Every structure is written in structure tokens, then in C-alpha cells.
Amino acid sequence: MSTQAAEPAATARYQKILFLGNSITLHGPSKKIGWEGNWGMAASSRDKDYIHLVTRSLAKSSGTDPTMLAKNIAAFERQYATYDLQEHLRDALTFHPDLVVLAIGENVPQLKTAEAQAKFQASVEKLLKQLQSDNQPTIIVRSSFWPDQKKDDALRQACQQAGGIFVDISNLGKEEKNYARSERDFQHAGVAAHPGDQGMQAIADAILKAIQNK
């Protein structure tokens, strides 16, 4: 009972939400891989990807519709050491969100050395620091859907440095039911390996639980 009473007050202030991620967050149509959506791959529809599930839940809790900005930053994952934040993330950096959800890791090259892991962590720390505007947004960083201990450790430590909340979803990728291929057929194995509707709901639930427990 007390949790239900506290929930609207806890979520009411999130009126501007920034989602930074990769194809799980947002991917436009691509005939080459047989993907026709313009939302989080591979949800069956826009309203079933994790960013829309999270936004809709927060809107319901607060009674108002937050403004939402979603960006695919897969290029940052692949080129984190040289990625120009000011050039490529100008709109995100001037958005001044109340809530930031960072959902990356899957496209980061294997961190084979301690030096590579440190460089990735430093790049994520720099990104999060740039996003900490005057309104001090709540920062959520989730682990990779395809779990990788070195990447996830770097993400966790960068999140802690930023005073954020780390959401460990590593168990989700270990369950076949959370993959899109368990729900329907795809012509491309890469698309099929993304979370399906059940996986997207599970990711959203984990993020929402972290927000509500804050």
C-alpha cells in the first residue's frame, strides 16, 4: 500500500526523458536485414519496445505525458575512444532531461585488456558527465542484454562515478523466452537475437523498478 501511494510522487518530476542506446533502443527500417520498424529492435510494434513501455508507465504514474528523446549511439559504442560528443550528441546535450537511461554495451568491441576496459569506462564516464546539467537528472545505466562481464563492470563503475543507478539485466539474456526468435520468425539471425516483446517488457520492468525504488 505504501509503495502505491509513493509511486506518483516519485515519478512525477520526470518530464523530460533521454534514452541513449543502440538498435535495442531505436533502429530505423532496413530492407537488407528484413527489419521494417522504426523503434526498438525487435519488438513487434512501437508501443511494445522498452522505451515506450517505460515512458507510458511514467506518464500513467504522474498523470502527464513526458517529452521523450531517443537516440541510437551505436557509433559511440564502436568508436568510444574517439567519439566527439559535442558534434554527434548536440541535441541530447541541450535537451536537459530529468531522467537519462543509458542502454549500451552490445556493440562495444570485446574488451580484451585491462587498458581497453579502462578506456571504455572513461569514455562512458565522460558521456555521463556531459549529461549532468544544472537540473541534475536521475541517471539509469543498464547492463548489456547479451551479458559480458568486462563491459558490464565498466558500465557499472562509470554509473557509480556519476551517482547513477545501475540496473543489472544480465539474467534476461540467459533466457531464450526473452529473445524475439522465440516469438516469431525472422530472416536475419541478428534481428532475431534482439529482445522480443517479452524481453522488452522485462527490460522496462527492471528500469521502472529501479526508478520506483530510488
Side-chain angles (χ1 to χ4, degrees), residues 11-40:
T11 59
R13 77 178 191 89
Y14 298 128
Q15 296 305 301
K16 298 180 75 174
I17 308 172
L18 173 64
F19 292 95
L20 296 177
N22 47 43
S23 55
I24 297 176
T25 295
L26 177 65
H27 196 296
S30 175
K31 289 185 179 180
K32 181 173 64 175
I33 58 174
W35 172 248
E36 298 179 354
N38 189 22
W39 53 80

Side-chain angles (χ1 to χ4, degrees), residues 154-203:
L155 288 167
R156 179 185 288 104
Q157 292 174 43
C159 179
Q160 291 173 349
Q161 283 289 337
I165 303 168
F166 186 75
V167 178
D168 187 348
I169 64 163
S170 57
N171 285 334
L172 300 184
K174 298 175 183 177
E175 297 188 46
E176 183 62 24
K177 65 182 181 180
N178 289 321
Y179 287 85
R181 61 184 177 235
S182 71
E183 298 177 351
R184 57 195 193 283
D185 294 328
F186 295 88
Q187 72 177 56
H188 193 276
V191 178
H194 282 66
D197 291 350
Q198 183 162 327
M200 288 288 189
Q201 184 67 64
I203 293 171

Side-chain angles (χ1 to χ4, degrees), residues 76-87:
F76 170 84
E77 292 179 291
R78 298 186 177 102
Q79 304 157 16
Y80 56 84
T82 58
Y83 190 85
D84 190 324
L85 298 175
Q86 294 296 330
E87 178 182 353

Side-chain angles (χ1 to χ4, degrees), residues 96-117:
H96 301 302
D98 304 306
L99 173 64
V100 175
V101 179
L102 182 65
I104 60 172
E106 289 82 3
N107 294 310
V108 174
Q110 290 296 312
L111 303 175
K112 297 181 180 180
T113 66
E115 181 183 8
Q117 187 174 1

Side-chain angles (χ1 to χ4, degrees), residues 11-156:
T11 59
R13 77 178 191 89
Y14 298 128
Q15 296 305 301
K16 298 180 75 174
I17 308 172
L18 173 64
F19 292 95
L20 296 177
N22 47 43
S23 55
I24 297 176
T25 295
L26 177 65
H27 196 296
S30 175
K31 289 185 179 180
K32 181 173 64 175
I33 58 174
W35 172 248
E36 298 179 354
N38 189 22
W39 53 80
M41 186 182 285
S44 62
S45 60
R46 185 188 309 274
D47 65 322
K48 292 183 179 179
D49 72 11
Y50 87 90
I51 71 170
H52 288 90
L53 291 169
V54 168
T55 302
R56 188 163 62 249
S57 179
L58 294 179
K60 184 177 180 181
S61 297
S62 66
T64 58
D65 291 327
T67 301
M68 183 260 281
L69 175 62
K71 286 187 68 68
N72 183 315
I73 59 167
F76 170 84
E77 292 179 291
R78 298 186 177 102
Q79 304 157 16
Y80 56 84
T82 58
Y83 190 85
D84 190 324
L85 298 175
Q86 294 296 330
E87 178 182 353
H88 299 296
L89 292 183
R90 191 178 304 277
D91 54 348
L93 296 175
T94 58
F95 183 59
H96 301 302
D98 304 306
L99 173 64
V100 175
V101 179
L102 182 65
I104 60 172
E106 289 82 3
N107 294 310
V108 174
Q110 290 296 312
L111 303 175
K112 297 181 180 180
T113 66
E115 181 183 8
Q117 187 174 1
K119 282 185 177 180
F120 175 54
Q121 180 182 328
S123 296
V124 176
E125 288 178 6
K126 182 179 179 182
L127 169 61
L128 294 177
K129 187 174 182 179
Q130 290 286 315
L131 294 168
Q132 289 178 304
S133 54
D134 293 339
N135 58 334
Q136 291 297 300
T138 296
I139 291 177
I140 303 286
V141 178
R142 49 122 259 214
S143 67
S144 301
F145 178 69
W146 306 317
D148 183 297
Q149 186 172 347
K150 289 184 178 179
K151 296 178 188 179
D152 291 342
D153 283 349
L155 288 167
R156 179 185 288 104

